[in-house]
Amino acid sequence: PEPEDANDRTDDRPPNMEDEELADAKVPLISSNQPTTSTTSATMPNIQWDDTVPGPPPVSPTMSHRSHRSAGSGFSINEQSPRSAKRKKLISRGILTDDQINLVLADLAAEEQATLLGAGLGKQTWSRYLVANYFSKYKWYNPNRDNPDAPSLSKGWAYFEHFTLPRRFDEKSGGHDIRAPPGEAKGTKLYNVFMTPQESLSDWGIGMGMYFSSLYATFIILVLAGCLNIVNIIYYGSDNYDPGPGFKTFTILKMLKYSAVCTAREWVVCAEPDGSQTCRDNFEQWNGIFTKQYYGTAKDSNTGEDVTLINRTTCLPAQFTQGMVNYGTLLLLILAMAVFMRYLSKKEVRFDEDNTSAPDYSVVVRNPPPDAIDPDEWRDFFDTFSDKAVTVCTVALNNEQLLAKLVQRRKDIRTLKRRFSLGIEVDFDDEPAMDTAVENAKRYREGEEAQRNCLSKLLSCIFTPLSRCLGFGLHETVIWKRIKATTEEVRKLQQKEYKCASVYVTFETEQGQRTALEALNASELEVMTNTAMNLDSSVLFQGKVLRVEEASEPNAVRWADLDYIMLSIYLRQLITLGITFGLVLLSAFILVISRLAVGTIFFSIILSTFNSIIPIVVRLLVSYEKHYDEGSMQKSLYVKITVFRWVNTAIITRAITPLLVTIGDQKIDLINTVNAMMISEMIISPLLRYLDFMTIINRHYFAPRAKTEEELFSCFSGGWYNLAERFTDFTKVLLLCTFYSAFYPLMYFLGAGILFAQYWMDKFLLLRSWQKAPFIGPETSRFSRTYFNSLAILLGAMSSAYAYLKSPFTMLCSCAENNKECALPDTQEFTNVELNSGDIIPEVQTSNEGFYFCNQDINTFPPVPANQGSDKWMTDSQEELSHIYGWTCVVLLILYIVVVLGQRTLRAVISLVRGVYEPRGCNQHKDFSSGIGLESFGYIPQLEVPGFSFPLLICNIDDVDVRLIGWKDPNCRNEVDEHRNYDNHNLIFDVPYVSLHRTRNVTVEGSSVLRREKKGRPIFSVVKHYPPEWARQARENHQS
């Protein structure tokens, strides 16, 4: 509806409040990814959220006001309601129809949600409140404010809060929050960031619950380690260790006062005893950017000979007491990590028992016979193991090429729709109409291009060819031709015969799953040779030994990758791992250059930036890999990102820093660099995660300018994250703390502070910003704590051992202590000392003790005192300390190889000759069907495609309970047949084919549905639901 013409008004007054509200009144169009078939469907309301009153919004424009109320609509009218008063005003104008008035009131209802009280009580986000009540009223923020054909911005925010962000039901079960399925609007609210208990975070998958539990437990461990190191912290801050000037102030950037940084230095003469290397022979040790100021030459005033002067630190070398405190911390970490691993293992089982989800009831067959595509046949086979029969069976086909083409066609359609003017809806199956619409869009674009200024045209000439080479910025005609070509390719692929790739079977009880896994627990040799050695012949399916495993979460299954064999999967992972190591070397080279060319703060910023970019690069690499589920992919991501970050953060920094500046007080020296790195991790990294600029721009710039609802919703999809990257940040902090604790015992408190900030920032982003992600199982958590947490402690022990071995980091040995005859000048005062840096020191007073060069940079394993050779620089207590630490490293390395790595190797060897399945957790004795829609969801094949607001279904769901799907589209509220609400997101309807069981239904409830008899083999995965009788009757009673 258009507002009344200004010429029709009888006075010259500006539009009153009624006119402004009327100008904003609009009939929402159907969803942009839904083809138009009739005027009725084009004028139906499509998305009407109202949290103020429970119940679904109206679904038919033909319903009366009384039927709206009886349907539980949130828009029921009463005399006291402000919407009732608004209805009277609109009726009095006599412009809008009754159904159009309902749409105006629906928009008002959406606006009424964004209240200060609602934001304060967790019903809405503060961003939505500010946008709805302030920003959206200004043209500079919302240029489509007065355009009746533009999608409603309030609906985009409603999508963000009801589909992207997690919500919980108002009512709790047993004192615990119950997470609502995405799209559920009735009786739900947002999770409270501070009040949501840690146990509830397992509702995002066991892996997410384990991540926050790991942060919490490690935080406590680091605090305890820090408390144990208070003795060392006090020692390093005292004059007993450093009698030099020290640091006069203590600020966040001056915490080095309590580190091994040494500010006490003196000049000494580097003598040249017979049979020993000289400082001049090892000039390169002092010729770097780090050490030039510590090497000088002067003339002996008596003889005129050149004298080499070295500026060395005079702080005490490694002391036995401080070393044993660090050693005790190592033992504490080993003990705490053992307890930590046991705690997390029990926590994992508890999370699994608290969340009786589909994996507790389901198995997957990885090697089914290619022609076994009948779910009834699989149900009959697995029924023999179940006490209450099979409930759901999904047969996945090897139709990856077909799915890829259908997804590409959808993407092109989405791109082309964004070229159309606002309000233009065309049926893409109507080729003449599409030709006209594309031609109109082309003329409109050419008109806009003709009006550009010279600068815009110049930039277009530069960047347009490049973007088109990458597949972006194509003309409308090119996109339309590609859509038609893709459609023909799809039709050809629909003629192919597809085979069975995997089978997912869900039992009604947990016991059914466990019985099946125990009975079908075949060895690898039995599967590879298809010979029943330990199995009973009765458990063979069509004479085949099946590889049966526990299934992952339904939304974690990668349905397009199920047809790949293990050899192909491992080969791809090996290739990407090789590329990863190449990129590690490249990034190390860049970091070396930045370390030598810029200051410490900038080096830390570059390092933090690398740590932020690395997950994106690795994700591109891993996209080439194939994985059966998201848990396996996350584990692969975790390994590659961890290698990147561990090398860049800890190992490279230590390796490229000369030994002479290990405990130096300059900003470029090692401990100062590590301190800046920790401060950066504590402040900059969380801030970068919070200031997700692309997400903010999408939400507040592109969303108000969106042309279609699909484009609008994609702007509210939330920020990207993955669990592997978050685990990597956690293990990186643990490594830094153990790796540098010998030099900087305050690291444990800094690490605890980083984990504290990481815990709360990630929790906030999870509940208020991040996009909806697949539920990840415990694979990444288990892999991290088994291999990398223990490896961090091992590397930390080795780092401390070498630190105590190489102390005091001067590259000098005493002539007296090594019984060397060193000829020293008669004078201890030198003038005009020329440094390697080119500076001149007018006068230098040297020590009366003689020193000569000895190589302290020994990297031989094990790090024991015997590695000194004939030149001794260690004190007796230092040698004893190094002896203890060195052989402890040997023991720890053997334990890691035998216990950690050997355990997995042994399990792999055993699996060759017998099955290794072992049940975990307790049987909850709860039927699968009793939790459908709340805890239990089915294995419904669907694809998560970036840029699409909802998952894309790839199977026929007409014969299954829609609550098994695991999400709802609030844009569709067909209550007569809920299956129709998913038609717009189902790829099987995009290009009709002969055996398609029905056409896509886009009409309102009660319309007829064209059905056909199923013919031939299926070309999409097959899902069949076998609900128990009690569940079927309960569902029918509920629907009636």
Side-chain angles (χ1 to χ4, degrees):
E2 298 291 339
E4 64 177 341
D5 195 303
N7 297 327
D8 294 339
R9 288 199 289 267
T10 56
D11 55 1
D12 295 330
R13 61 180 174 82
N16 57 22
M17 195 64 177
E18 288 184 25
D19 297 326
E20 292 178 0
E21 289 161 350
L22 198 58
D24 288 337
K26 52 187 175 289
V27 179
L29 298 172
I30 61 173
S31 175
S32 61
N33 62 348
Q34 176 176 327
T36 305
T37 57
S38 65
T39 304
T40 304
S41 62
T43 58
M44 66 174 290
N46 63 337
I47 176 169
Q48 315 293 347
W49 277 284
D50 182 13
D51 290 342
T52 58
V53 182
V59 294
S60 171
T62 61
M63 293 172 64
S64 65
H65 305 319
R66 184 176 302 276
S67 64
H68 284 310
R69 189 182 185 95
S70 63
S73 168
F75 314 123
S76 57
I77 307 302
N78 59 70
E79 292 301 323
Q80 304 300 323
S81 170
R83 283 170 279 168
S84 177
K86 181 58 58 182
R87 175 183 291 280
K88 291 182 179 180
K89 291 183 180 181
L90 293 174
I91 292 176
S92 65
R93 303 294 298 176
I95 298 175
L96 302 182
T97 67
D98 193 57
D99 294 319
Q100 292 166 348
I101 290 173
N102 285 334
L103 299 180
V104 175
L105 297 179
D107 284 342
L108 284 176
E111 292 174 7
E112 286 174 1
Q113 293 179 21
T115 63
L116 185 63
L117 180 63
L121 295 178
K123 288 287 187 180
Q124 299 90 28
T125 59
W126 287 103
S127 297
R128 183 182 182 186
Y129 167 75
L130 294 174
V131 169
N133 290 278
Y134 299 101
F135 299 145
S136 63
K137 297 179 180 179
Y138 298 99
K139 274 278 190 176
W140 60 266
Y141 180 88
N142 186 18
N144 292 332
R145 181 191 65 183
D146 301 324
N147 191 335
D149 295 325
S152 170
L153 186 59
S154 64
K155 295 179 181 179
W157 280 98
Y159 168 84
F160 175 67
E161 292 182 356
H162 286 270
F163 195 88
T164 300
L165 297 186
R167 299 179 74 89
R168 66 176 181 85
F169 288 106
D170 292 336
E171 297 181 358
K172 297 186 177 183
S173 175
H176 297 287
D177 294 331
I178 303 177
R179 184 176 178 180
E184 184 66 54
K186 297 183 290 183
T188 64
K189 64 171 62 174
L190 296 171
Y191 280 86
N192 187 293
V193 176
F194 298 102
M195 301 304 294
T196 299
Q198 184 176 297
E199 288 72 15
S200 295
L201 299 178
S202 62
D203 290 343
W204 282 257
I206 296 177
M208 185 61 72
M210 298 301 294
Y211 166 67
F212 283 99
S213 297
S214 299
L215 287 179
Y216 177 78
T218 309
F219 167 79
I220 295 177
I221 292 174
L222 293 185
V223 170
L224 292 176
C227 292
L228 185 60
N229 275 266
I230 290 178
V231 174
N232 283 2
I233 294 172
I234 295 175
Y235 168 75
Y236 283 127
S238 68
D239 291 338
N240 293 332
Y241 169 73
D242 184 8
F247 296 93
K248 302 302 182 184
T249 57
F250 177 77
T251 64
I252 195 169
L253 294 177
K254 293 290 185 181
M255 293 181 292
L256 300 180
K257 173 180 175 64
Y258 301 101
S259 70
V261 167
C262 182
T263 60
R265 309 188 73 94
E266 68 175 1
W267 285 95
V268 299
V269 174
C270 185
E272 300 180 1
D274 295 336
S276 298
Q277 297 186 64
T278 66
C279 293
R280 294 178 186 178
D281 295 334
N282 294 276
F283 174 76
E284 67 279 357
Q285 297 288 342
W286 288 273
N287 196 34
I289 186 176
F290 300 92
T291 56
K292 285 183 177 181
Q293 68 274 24
Y294 302 135
Y295 185 99
T297 57
K299 293 288 186 180
D300 186 338
S301 59
N302 295 326
T303 63
E305 296 180 354
D306 290 334
V307 178
T308 302
L309 304 180
I310 303 296
N311 187 248
R312 76 177 189 106
T313 58
T314 60
C315 294
L316 293 175
Q319 298 297 297
F320 185 79
T321 301
Q322 279 63 49
M324 291 309 295
V325 169
N326 188 271
Y327 187 79
T329 306
L330 172 64
L331 298 180
L332 171 67
L333 288 175
I334 295 173
L335 177 63
M337 281 298 167
V339 176
F340 166 76
M341 292 178 66
R342 183 172 177 82
Y343 161 78
L344 287 184
S345 297
K346 290 187 175 181
K347 200 81 171 177
E348 180 182 315
V349 174
R350 179 179 174 184
F351 284 153
D352 186 44
E353 293 174 351
D354 289 345
N355 297 275
T356 51
S357 54
D360 297 318
Y361 301 89
S362 306
V363 299
V364 56
V365 180
R366 295 295 184 196
N367 63 335
D371 294 329
I373 60 174
D374 185 4
D376 292 336
E377 186 178 7
W378 286 103
R379 188 233 6 215
D380 294 339
F381 174 75
F382 280 99
D383 266 346
T384 59
F385 309 106
S386 176
D387 53 342
K388 287 190 178 180
V390 169
T391 303
V392 184
C393 184
T394 302
V395 178
L397 304 184
N398 62 339
N399 56 356
E400 180 188 4
Q401 289 184 323
L402 174 61
L403 299 180
K405 291 298 180 181
L406 288 170
V407 170
Q408 181 59 50
R409 184 177 182 273
R410 280 247 180 169
K411 289 180 177 179
D412 289 339
I413 289 176
R414 180 193 60 190
T415 302
L416 189 55
K417 281 183 177 181
R418 294 177 178 178
R419 306 290 180 89
F420 295 161
S421 300
L422 287 173
I424 300 297
E425 286 289 339
V426 185
D427 185 359
F428 276 74
D429 293 331
D430 188 346
E431 191 167 327
M434 278 299 304
D435 291 337
T436 303
V438 170
E439 188 63 31
N440 292 338
K442 177 183 177 183
R443 285 198 296 266
Y444 178 77
R445 175 183 52 79
E446 291 174 345
E448 284 191 334
E449 290 176 351
Q451 297 177 4
R452 292 179 180 174
N453 56 37
C454 294
L455 179 60
S456 298
K457 291 180 179 179
L458 178 61
L459 293 175
S460 177
C461 291
I462 296 174
F463 294 106
T464 299
L466 178 61
S467 63
R468 287 177 181 169
C469 290
L470 298 175
F472 302 103
L474 299 177
H475 286 166
E476 300 80 6
T477 52
V478 176
I479 299 175
W480 174 228
K481 288 180 181 178
R482 193 161 73 176
I483 291 173
K484 292 191 286 187
T486 305
T487 303
E488 293 304 317
E489 292 182 52
V490 169
R491 291 196 174 103
K492 291 180 181 179
L493 290 171
Q494 288 174 341
Q495 306 303 316
K496 293 183 63 176
E497 187 175 284
Y498 297 101
K499 298 178 180 180
C500 183
S502 292
V503 178
Y504 287 84
V505 179
T506 302
F507 297 88
E508 183 62 18
T509 63
E510 291 185 62
Q511 187 57 50
Q513 181 223 40
R514 297 185 179 201
T515 303
L517 288 172
E518 290 172 354
L520 300 169
N521 191 20
S523 66
E524 292 295 325
L525 287 177
E526 287 178 306
V527 173
M528 288 187 291
T529 61
N530 194 31
T531 304
M533 304 174 185
N534 302 319
L535 295 179
D536 190 283
S537 59
S538 62
V539 299
L540 302 183
F541 181 84
Q542 295 183 357
K544 188 177 183 66
V545 177
L546 300 178
R547 184 193 299 275
V548 183
E549 304 170 356
E550 295 179 83
S552 59
E553 290 283 353
N555 67 348
V557 178
R558 297 171 61 87
W559 296 98
D561 295 350
L562 297 180
D563 187 45
Y564 287 84
I565 61 174
M566 296 302 299
L567 179 61
S568 173
I569 291 175
Y570 290 146
L571 182 60
R572 287 172 180 259
Q573 292 181 12
L574 186 62
I575 292 173
T576 56
L577 188 62
I579 297 174
T580 299
F581 281 114
L583 292 175
V584 167
L585 296 177
L586 176 62
S587 65
F589 174 76
I590 295 174
L591 287 173
V592 170
I593 298 299
S594 64
R595 178 88 166 102
L596 299 176
V598 302
T600 302
I601 299 296
F602 290 104
F603 169 76
S604 300
I605 293 174
I606 292 173
L607 184 60
S608 295
T609 304
F610 260 125
N611 288 336
S612 299
I613 296 175
I614 282 170
I616 300 175
V617 177
V618 173
R619 185 174 56 160
L620 293 176
L621 279 177
V622 174
S623 65
Y624 170 74
E625 299 178 358
K626 299 299 178 180
H627 297 272
Y628 292 143
D629 54 62
E630 291 291 335
S632 172
M633 189 195 73
Q634 292 292 321
K635 189 164 65 174
S636 177
L637 271 173
Y638 173 77
V639 172
K640 295 175 177 61
I641 297 175
T642 301
V643 171
F644 255 114
R645 288 185 170 172
W646 279 26
V647 171
N648 290 346
T649 304
I651 300 174
I652 287 296
T653 304
R654 180 79 173 271
I656 66 178
T657 303
L659 180 74
L660 290 168
V661 295
T662 300
I663 57 174
D665 60 344
Q666 301 300 309
K667 290 184 178 180
I668 201 172
D669 294 344
L670 178 64
I671 301 179
N672 210 322
T673 301
V674 174
N675 180 66
M677 192 186 307
M678 295 295 285
I679 300 301
S680 175
E681 288 296 327
M682 186 182 296
I683 299 175
I684 295 179
S685 294
L687 192 61
L688 288 176
R689 290 202 302 277
Y690 177 76
L691 298 176
D692 188 349
F693 293 107
M694 198 62 227
T695 300
I696 294 175
I697 291 172
N698 281 336
R699 202 175 295 164
H700 295 284
Y701 180 81
F702 291 110
R705 292 159 178 79
K707 293 184 178 181
T708 65
E709 281 192 351
E710 183 66 31
E711 183 182 358
L712 174 69
F713 291 163
S714 67
C715 294
F716 286 97
S717 59
W720 174 85
Y721 80 97
N722 71 62
L723 193 60
E725 189 259 346
R726 305 312 314 130
F727 265 107
T728 299
D729 267 358
F730 151 65
T731 53
K732 177 186 65 180
V733 172
L734 179 62
L735 175 67
L736 283 172
C737 290
T738 59
F739 208 72
Y740 293 104
S741 61
F743 309 111
Y744 196 8
L746 199 63
M747 287 281 287
Y748 289 114
F749 286 122
L750 289 177
I754 293 173
L755 295 186
F756 179 84
Q758 185 173 333
Y759 181 97
W760 287 106
M761 179 58 71
D762 287 357
K763 187 177 180 182
F764 170 81
L765 295 173
L766 180 69
L767 301 180
R768 288 292 184 274
S769 180
W770 282 340
Q771 66 184 11
K772 182 173 65 69
F775 292 172
I776 306 298
E779 298 91 345
T780 305
S781 170
R782 199 179 298 160
F783 190 82
S784 173
R785 68 176 182 263
T786 302
Y787 298 103
F788 283 90
N789 289 4
S790 53
L791 182 59
I793 295 177
L794 173 61
L795 293 178
M798 290 183 175
S799 175
S800 296
Y802 282 106
Y804 294 133
L805 176 70
K806 299 177 182 182
S807 178
F809 313 102
T810 60
M811 289 290 193
L812 298 174
C813 288
S814 172
C815 295
E817 293 178 1
N818 285 275
N819 299 320
K820 297 280 187 179
E821 294 184 3
C822 298
L824 298 177
D826 295 334
T827 180
Q828 296 177 1
E829 295 182 1
F830 298 88
T831 59
N832 298 322
V833 177
E834 183 179 358
L835 305 182
N836 273 358
S837 60
D839 298 331
I840 302 293
I841 300 179
E843 186 176 347
V844 166
Q845 180 75 30
T846 63
S847 169
N848 59 1
E849 185 179 358
F851 292 88
Y852 66 97
F853 175 85
C854 61
N855 185 14
Q856 298 171 354
D857 196 7
I858 303 297
N859 296 308
T860 307
F861 187 83
V864 293
N867 295 331
Q868 292 179 99
S870 60
D871 297 322
K872 303 289 185 181
W873 66 83
M874 303 176 67
T875 63
D876 292 340
S877 64
Q878 186 179 354
E879 287 187 352
E880 185 179 358
L881 175 63
S882 295
H883 187 83
I884 295 173
Y885 244 111
W887 290 110
T888 299
C889 290
V890 174
V891 173
L892 292 178
L893 180 61
I894 294 174
L895 287 176
Y896 185 82
I897 294 174
V898 174
V899 177
V900 179
L901 301 180
Q903 182 179 9
R904 184 175 181 85
T905 304
L906 180 62
R907 183 180 176 86
V909 172
I910 293 175
S911 67
L912 290 174
V913 294
R914 67 176 180 85
V916 292
Y917 165 74
E918 293 179 1
R920 294 172 58 87
C922 299
N923 188 343
Q924 299 299 301
H925 301 287
K926 182 178 179 181
D927 286 359
F928 173 82
S929 298
S930 64
I932 290 180
L934 293 176
E935 298 177 314
S936 306
F937 304 99
Y939 291 86
I940 310 299
Q942 51 191 294
L943 303 176
E944 289 278 357
V945 182
F948 287 87
S949 308
F950 301 94
L952 300 178
L953 295 169
I954 51 175
C955 65
N956 174 19
I957 62 168
D958 283 1
D959 296 326
V960 303
D961 189 334
V962 294
R963 295 177 300 168
L964 290 170
I965 298 175
W967 54 272
K968 295 181 180 180
D969 180 1
N971 206 29
C972 303
R973 293 302 181 95
N974 189 330
E975 295 182 351
V976 174
D977 189 348
E978 294 177 316
H979 298 87
R980 307 295 184 271
N981 296 329
Y982 296 88
D983 281 5
N984 298 322
H985 312 294
N986 202 329
L987 292 178
I988 70 173
F989 297 113
D990 284 13
V991 180
Y993 54 97
V994 175
S995 59
L996 184 62
H997 63 291
R998 64 175 177 86
T999 59
R1000 172 181 277 134
N1001 176 26
V1002 295
T1003 59
V1004 297
E1005 60 177 282
S1007 63
S1008 60
V1009 178
L1010 176 61
R1011 291 186 177 272
R1012 300 188 180 97
E1013 293 294 329
K1014 298 179 183 179
K1015 301 177 181 178
R1017 291 172 60 93
I1019 61 174
F1020 293 99
S1021 299
V1022 182
V1023 184
K1024 202 158 185 181
H1025 187 196
Y1026 309 95
E1029 187 60 30
W1030 67 266
R1032 183 185 294 106
Q1033 292 179 358
R1035 184 66 174 164
E1036 292 174 354
N1037 293 337
H1038 174 74
Q1039 291 176 341
S1040 61

